[in-house]
Amino acid sequence: MIYKPKYFKIEELVDPATFEKFGDKAFAFFRPQILIALDYIREKAGPLIVNNWQTGGPLRWRGLRTADYTESKTMPHRLGAAIDCHSSKLTAEDLRGLVISESVKHASSTIHPIHGVRRMERGVNWLHIDCIEGDHDGILLFDP
């Protein structure tokens, strides 16, 4: 299944070269559960910024990271299973708190959109969410 988010255009999620080569077809590079969770967080938190290169900003690698991204080899981003974002209104800690709160609030539902988030990075000034499964219940908080 290919999921096209309600609140994000593909150029907000991929780098310029990927957008140029694939356009909207690049949605297929993402795991649906991460995009569904991102939309849900957007509904609860308000506007979120992933990449902003398309409006002249410097951010281009906070969604999918192709082989052209050489700064790190973080697998969740390369697998289309992770997103980094921030809000102009909420701190990263507020966003993490919101995700955890929503996860706890909807713990009894096995199909809730927030359950796509399996891990979050802590101690950074952005929200990192990914849908990499592990041997843990709930959301695993990990250090960079």
Side-chain angles (χ1 to χ4, degrees), residues 10-23 26 29-30 50-54 59-69:
I10 192 60
E11 54 264 44
E12 295 177 84
L13 304 174
V14 299
D15 64 280
T18 301
F19 175 69
E20 180 71 27
K21 186 171 183 179
F22 296 101
F29 299 142
F30 288 92
V50 181
N51 291 329
N52 62 6
W53 60 264
Q54 71 284 359
L59 304 172
R60 60 184 56 212
W61 296 110
R62 294 173 75 186
L64 185 69
R65 293 183 182 162
T66 67
D68 293 337
Y69 182 75

Side-chain angles (χ1 to χ4, degrees), residues 125-142:
N125 65 355
W126 61 86
L127 175 67
H128 167 94
I129 57 170
D130 70 49
C131 60
I132 299 298
E133 292 290 335
D135 59 355
H136 60 275
D137 291 326
I139 297 172
L140 175 70
L141 295 172
F142 68 95

